[in-house]
Structure formats: C-alpha cells, structure tokens
Amino acid sequence: MAIQYGITGGTAKAIAESVERGVAEGALAPGAALPPVRRLADQLGVSPGTVATAYKELRRRGIVVTRGRGGTVVAAAPAVGSRRPPKVPAGLRDLAGGHPDPALLPALVPPGRLSPGARSHRSAPRLARLEDEVRAWLGTDGVPTEQVTFAHGALDLVGRLLSVELRPGDSVAMEDPGYHHLLDLVAALGLRAVPVAVDDEGVRPDALREALHGGVRAVVCSPRAQNPYGGCFSVERRDALVDVLADGPEVLVVENDHASAVADAPLRTLTASGLTRWVHVRTVSKFLGTDLRWAAAACDPTTLARHDGRLLLTSGWVSHLLQETVHGLLTDVGTQGLVARARETYGVRRAALLRELAGRGIAAHGASGLNVWVPVRDESAVVNGLRSYGWWVAAGARFRLAAGPGVRISVAELEPADAARLASDFAAVLGESEATYGG
C-alpha cells in the first residue's frame, strides 16, 4: 500500500532526510511503501537519478529495503529512533525487557584508586591485571587467549569490526530469530542480514552452509543462552558447525557469549578449532550490572589489529575507571558467590516456566539463558491477551527475519509460583483467541 506521508526535498540529501524524519516520527511505519522513483521525481520536480540516489542512501543506512517488484519499503526495524521497543504500560508485570534480576546484581562502588590527572591512556589502553583476569576467565572455558582486547559492550565491538571488515551491501549470517539490536545494527551499517535458522542447539548447520554458499562475509552467533530462542551448542553441534565453517576460511566468525557466567550451560566454543578469522566476546551486564558497558574479547591477530586500530581513532580506550570497577567485581569472592546464585536461580525459574507451559500443552524453547521463546500463531493476539491478564511480553516480530511468529518471555524475575499463573493465563489467551498453536 502506498504511503500518504508527503516526501519533500529538491536534492538527494533533502529527500533522504524527509523520509528519515517521517520514519522517526512514526508517519512512515515499517513496511510502508515509498513511491516509485519516477513518480516521486515527477512530484518533486527533480530527476529520477536524484530520487534513486536518495533511496540508495536510505538503503545503505538500513532505513528502507528494496523488494524487487514489491518496490522500496520502510525496513521492518529501521535504523532510527522509532525502532525502540514500546514502553511497558503502567500496572503490568514486565517480562519483555530481558534484564537480569536487580536483587541478584552486586552493588556498584566506584574504585578507590582513580586515574591521576588528565592524561591519555592510548599507549596503555588496558589494565594489565584485568587482562590477566580476562585470560584466566576465558581460558578456563577453552577460548584461546593469546590476543585479548576490550570494548564498550558487545554491540560496540561487533559494530566496529563489521564496519572495518565489510562494506555496505555485504551480507552477514544472523541467527533467526536473533537479538534485535544486532539485527538493527547490521541494517544500520548498510549490510544485508542473511537469516540462519536456530533450534535448541543453536545455529543449524544446514542453514549456515546455505548462508556460506550465498557469500556471507561474517557470521554472528551465540554459543549458549541464544537470545531469544535459548539454544546452546552441544558438542555434536559445535563440531558440525566447525565442519561447515571450514568451507569459508576467510569468513569472520563472531561468537557472542553475552550471558556467560549466568547462562546455566557449559561453553562449547567454536574458537578453539583453528578458525582463521574469529572473535569471542563477553559482556558483564547480565551478572555485574546493566550500566557496566564493558566487553572482553579474544580474537585472532588480524582481528585484534583491525579492532584496536579503529578504537584508537575513536574513543581511544575503554575508561580505566570502568576497568577498575570490573576488575574489582570479577575478583571479589562475595560477588562470585552472588553470580553463582544468580546462575542457579535463573535456571530454576526458566525450567519452572517451561514445565508449567508444557503441562498445559504449550511447547516452548529455552535450553539456557534468561529467556523463553514460545511459538504462536498470532503474536498480537497473544501479547494483547496477556496484557489483559496483567503481563507484558515481547512480540517476536522485532527478533525475526524469516522465522515463524512467537513471543519472548524474560524469566529473570519470574518466581516459580508466578510461572504457574502465567502459564495458566497463556493457555486461556490461546483459547480465547482461538489460535491454533503450531509450535
């Protein structure tokens, strides 16, 4: 259906800005069709080449996509402010955010030793003692740690690497369903996300093989606590994926172990198998604090050089105050005990919801991590139905590329007693909407 929003502008830049403004303000919704190039050119009194250039820039930035005969439409998750998830309505129990339980996070206390004076840390961007701790942390799980680096979170690292390694128009193999911020990031960089199906053991080898044959330049995957599906690599699955990746030795493999310490599953990493180009990244936001925007990464020498070279030209280094805080928490015995309790608690809560749903004939997925994925026939009917019972869950649309519909339920703060009530309400909603649960 053609849009009603009035696009304006006499130059390619002005036309692109007009479209972006319409998307940001909500006047152009995801899926809205833009006018054909020649029609808009006639309306604005410009050449078709000017409009084509504007559309090309919008595609490069992930704001629109072109669907062949279907024309140019606003992307499902356009890379502007309107792609943020909706606010939680007042009075509802929030199970949509994917955040850890605040009661299971340590108190954040600024370090007593502050960096002296106003000086640059470009020559020594990483604290040696934190590097040592990271090597021990990752090495215990079998990740090679000859080269390690830090970043301002996993998205910061992935975005920096993809922008250095790839060019607009290149394709990236992405988990489907997958983490919506990563999907948005790939689109914002002007890259093409190639959906790779997942199951309870993570990325499916057949889907990854198809993506590699299609020419992807990078693969982004989660070895455990996959978000939102919850899959985790088995030994057999890891070995099968390693065999597939042998056909693409120059492909950059990004392993995002975002939940690590609270994933409630062992790490079966791809990185110890002799890959040519790889990076394993971990954050601490799920178990030390959501405001600790820090990530550790181990990688091959080429990836290290390219990442750190670009970091040097931008922020230069990760704050040493932040590094001091992270080091203090990682090495604190009390915090280590709290993290262990969080890991156990999240496992119990996730298992309780899966059990309660299964008892009512509702199949769901969540082999590890903080989320449960429930396939449904009609996402809107389920989300709105659960809202009427006082629950707020995440519609699956923003996590999906080609996968079937579903909803994501975050279990971090869901006590087992509450899980029974939620499952009962879920079953009632399915009955009330007369949805045929397809799994």
XYZ file of all heavy atoms in Angstrom, residues 141 222-226 230-233 256-268 282 286-287 339-340 342-344 346-348 350 366-371:
301
model
N 37.388 -21.741 29.894
C 36.345 -22.309 29.038
C 36.875 -22.757 27.683
O 36.095 -23.064 26.778
C 35.230 -21.283 28.830
C 34.366 -21.105 30.066
O 34.221 -22.086 30.822
O 33.845 -19.997 30.272
N 25.585 -17.128 18.862
C 25.700 -17.264 20.312
C 25.893 -18.739 20.654
O 25.076 -19.569 20.246
C 24.441 -16.732 21.005
O 24.236 -15.370 20.694
N 26.931 -19.083 21.409
C 27.167 -20.484 21.726
C 26.253 -21.019 22.829
O 26.101 -22.231 22.981
C 28.629 -20.499 22.177
C 28.846 -19.133 22.747
C 27.996 -18.211 21.905
N 25.648 -20.117 23.615
C 24.732 -20.515 24.680
C 23.864 -19.304 25.022
O 24.188 -18.170 24.693
C 25.485 -21.005 25.917
C 26.547 -20.045 26.428
C 27.325 -20.624 27.594
N 28.467 -19.780 27.962
C 29.294 -20.035 28.967
N 29.110 -21.105 29.718
N 30.321 -19.226 29.221
N 22.733 -19.592 25.696
C 21.794 -18.519 26.058
C 21.399 -17.693 24.842
O 21.242 -16.475 24.941
C 22.384 -17.618 27.148
N 21.228 -18.346 23.692
C 20.881 -17.622 22.476
C 19.617 -16.798 22.713
O 18.646 -17.273 23.290
C 20.678 -18.622 21.328
C 20.646 -18.002 19.940
C 19.274 -17.478 19.538
O 18.258 -17.822 20.132
N 19.239 -16.643 18.525
N 17.107 -19.313 23.164
C 17.669 -20.022 24.307
C 18.560 -21.196 23.985
O 18.993 -21.917 24.880
N 18.857 -21.423 22.717
C 19.662 -22.573 22.339
C 21.083 -22.513 22.856
O 21.621 -21.433 23.140
N 21.720 -23.681 22.989
C 23.130 -23.744 23.383
C 23.795 -24.882 22.621
O 23.199 -25.940 22.406
C 23.287 -23.920 24.885
S 22.485 -25.372 25.575
N 25.038 -24.651 22.193
C 25.755 -25.648 21.414
C 25.963 -26.923 22.223
O 26.420 -26.877 23.364
C 27.136 -25.142 21.000
C 27.133 -24.021 19.993
C 28.303 -23.315 19.731
C 25.983 -23.666 19.301
C 28.333 -22.281 18.814
C 25.998 -22.637 18.379
C 27.178 -21.936 18.135
N 29.224 -14.513 20.264
C 28.734 -13.575 21.280
C 28.237 -14.341 22.501
O 27.118 -14.836 22.530
C 27.616 -12.717 20.685
C 27.055 -11.723 21.689
O 27.691 -11.406 22.686
N 25.855 -11.220 21.420
N 29.072 -14.422 23.528
C 28.733 -15.155 24.757
C 28.206 -14.176 25.798
O 28.798 -13.969 26.854
C 29.983 -15.882 25.262
C 29.682 -16.903 26.348
O 28.522 -17.341 26.454
O 30.617 -17.251 27.094
N 27.075 -13.565 25.495
C 26.601 -12.410 26.244
C 26.186 -12.724 27.678
O 26.273 -11.865 28.559
C 25.418 -11.759 25.518
C 24.180 -12.609 25.525
N 23.164 -12.406 26.403
C 23.820 -13.672 24.766
C 22.209 -13.309 26.190
N 22.593 -14.094 25.203
N 25.723 -13.943 27.947
C 25.246 -14.280 29.297
C 26.294 -15.041 30.107
O 26.158 -15.146 31.321
C 23.947 -15.088 29.224
N 27.281 -15.587 29.469
C 28.410 -16.322 30.031
C 28.190 -16.876 31.438
O 27.714 -17.992 31.606
C 29.675 -15.469 29.959
O 29.573 -14.293 30.708
N 28.505 -16.102 32.454
C 28.529 -16.594 33.832
C 27.168 -17.026 34.365
O 27.102 -17.766 35.351
C 29.125 -15.526 34.754
N 26.077 -16.577 33.754
C 24.743 -16.963 34.227
C 23.959 -17.704 33.149
O 22.737 -17.796 33.216
C 23.942 -15.733 34.716
C 24.540 -15.182 36.002
C 23.882 -14.638 33.652
N 24.666 -18.274 32.180
C 23.990 -18.941 31.067
C 23.420 -20.295 31.452
O 22.592 -20.845 30.737
C 24.941 -19.103 29.890
N 23.883 -20.877 32.569
C 23.377 -22.172 33.023
C 23.616 -23.268 31.990
O 22.793 -24.162 31.810
C 21.884 -22.073 33.366
C 21.363 -23.317 34.100
O 22.113 -23.865 34.918
O 20.226 -23.735 33.824
N 24.751 -23.177 31.288
C 25.129 -24.187 30.294
C 26.626 -24.054 30.060
O 27.177 -22.948 30.110
C 24.370 -23.976 28.985
N 27.304 -25.152 29.784
C 28.743 -25.078 29.508
C 29.009 -24.426 28.159
O 28.150 -24.437 27.267
C 29.173 -26.552 29.505
C 27.937 -27.306 29.129
C 26.797 -26.549 29.739
N 30.188 -23.843 28.011
C 30.574 -23.231 26.743
C 31.222 -24.276 25.840
O 32.196 -24.921 26.228
C 31.553 -22.084 26.975
C 32.093 -21.435 25.695
C 30.979 -20.684 24.970
C 33.258 -20.512 25.992
N 30.659 -24.452 24.662
C 31.297 -25.248 23.613
C 31.676 -24.277 22.497
O 30.900 -24.009 21.591
C 30.357 -26.329 23.085
C 30.271 -27.566 23.973
C 29.084 -27.514 24.873
N 28.998 -28.685 25.768
C 27.843 -29.150 26.231
N 26.698 -28.571 25.908
N 27.841 -30.179 27.049
N 32.571 -11.280 25.365
C 31.744 -11.432 26.559
C 31.498 -10.072 27.195
O 32.390 -9.224 27.253
C 32.442 -12.311 27.606
C 32.503 -13.772 27.250
C 33.059 -14.588 28.406
N 33.204 -15.976 28.033
C 33.691 -16.909 28.838
N 34.069 -16.582 30.080
N 33.803 -18.153 28.434
N 24.795 -8.783 32.263
C 23.771 -9.714 32.747
C 24.046 -10.210 34.161
O 23.144 -10.776 34.797
C 23.659 -10.920 31.811
C 23.189 -10.594 30.409
C 21.815 -9.955 30.386
C 21.356 -9.742 28.943
N 20.081 -8.980 28.881
N 25.259 -10.010 34.672
C 25.535 -10.537 36.011
C 26.309 -9.596 36.924
O 26.391 -9.833 38.130
C 26.267 -11.881 35.929
C 27.584 -11.844 35.219
C 28.770 -11.678 35.920
C 27.642 -12.004 33.852
C 29.985 -11.653 35.264
C 28.859 -11.990 33.184
C 30.035 -11.816 33.891
N 27.008 -14.314 41.825
C 26.857 -14.721 40.432
C 26.474 -16.196 40.345
O 25.610 -16.583 39.544
C 28.145 -14.432 39.636
C 28.073 -15.042 38.240
C 28.386 -12.928 39.540
N 27.101 -17.027 41.166
C 26.758 -18.452 41.173
C 25.304 -18.657 41.578
O 24.591 -19.499 41.008
C 27.692 -19.204 42.118
N 22.901 -16.462 41.166
C 22.078 -15.969 40.057
C 21.964 -17.030 38.968
O 20.878 -17.270 38.427
C 22.690 -14.684 39.496
N 23.074 -17.664 38.623
C 23.052 -18.696 37.591
C 22.085 -19.822 37.963
O 21.279 -20.265 37.149
C 24.459 -19.255 37.401
C 24.537 -20.371 36.368
C 25.978 -20.750 36.061
N 26.706 -21.179 37.249
C 27.675 -20.496 37.850
N 28.041 -19.315 37.373
N 28.290 -20.965 38.914
N 22.150 -20.265 39.194
C 21.258 -21.337 39.647
C 19.804 -20.885 39.665
O 18.901 -21.608 39.235
C 21.679 -21.801 41.037
C 20.804 -22.904 41.603
C 21.232 -23.327 42.994
O 22.229 -22.777 43.519
O 20.568 -24.202 43.573
N 18.306 -18.442 37.932
C 17.744 -18.265 36.597
C 17.409 -19.612 35.962
O 16.395 -19.753 35.262
C 18.718 -17.497 35.701
C 18.946 -16.064 36.122
C 20.181 -15.441 35.936
C 17.939 -15.315 36.711
C 20.408 -14.128 36.310
C 18.149 -14.000 37.105
C 19.388 -13.404 36.906
O 19.610 -12.109 37.288
N 18.254 -20.611 36.198
C 17.969 -21.943 35.670
C 16.687 -22.519 36.243
O 15.873 -23.114 35.522
N 16.496 -22.331 37.545
C 15.277 -22.820 38.197
C 14.047 -22.105 37.652
O 13.015 -22.734 37.368
C 15.383 -22.627 39.725
C 14.035 -22.857 40.399
C 16.437 -23.564 40.312
N 13.658 -20.532 34.747
C 13.399 -20.885 33.346
C 12.760 -22.267 33.248
O 11.782 -22.475 32.522
C 14.704 -20.838 32.562
C 14.524 -20.992 31.053
C 15.851 -21.053 30.325
N 16.603 -22.259 30.645
C 17.679 -22.294 31.431
N 18.141 -21.178 31.988
N 18.293 -23.448 31.667
N 13.893 -22.939 25.508
C 14.728 -22.202 26.439
C 15.721 -23.149 27.093
O 15.663 -23.380 28.288
N 16.656 -23.654 26.318
C 17.620 -24.616 26.848
C 18.635 -23.963 27.770
O 19.269 -24.642 28.578
C 18.348 -25.322 25.697
N 18.791 -22.653 27.680
C 19.739 -21.929 28.526
C 19.385 -20.454 28.507
O 18.614 -19.982 27.667
C 21.173 -22.132 28.014
O 21.307 -21.638 26.691
N 19.946 -19.713 29.455
C 19.784 -18.264 29.438
C 18.603 -17.737 30.221
O 18.032 -18.431 31.059
N 18.228 -16.491 29.926
C 17.240 -15.751 30.698
C 15.903 -15.600 29.998
O 15.016 -14.904 30.503
C 17.773 -14.351 31.036
C 18.722 -14.226 32.238
C 20.017 -14.999 31.998
C 19.046 -12.763 32.517
N 15.742 -16.249 28.832
C 14.520 -16.054 28.058
C 13.905 -17.377 27.634
O 14.602 -18.395 27.530
C 14.814 -15.222 26.801
C 15.378 -13.861 27.123
O 14.724 -13.041 27.751
N 16.608 -13.608 26.695
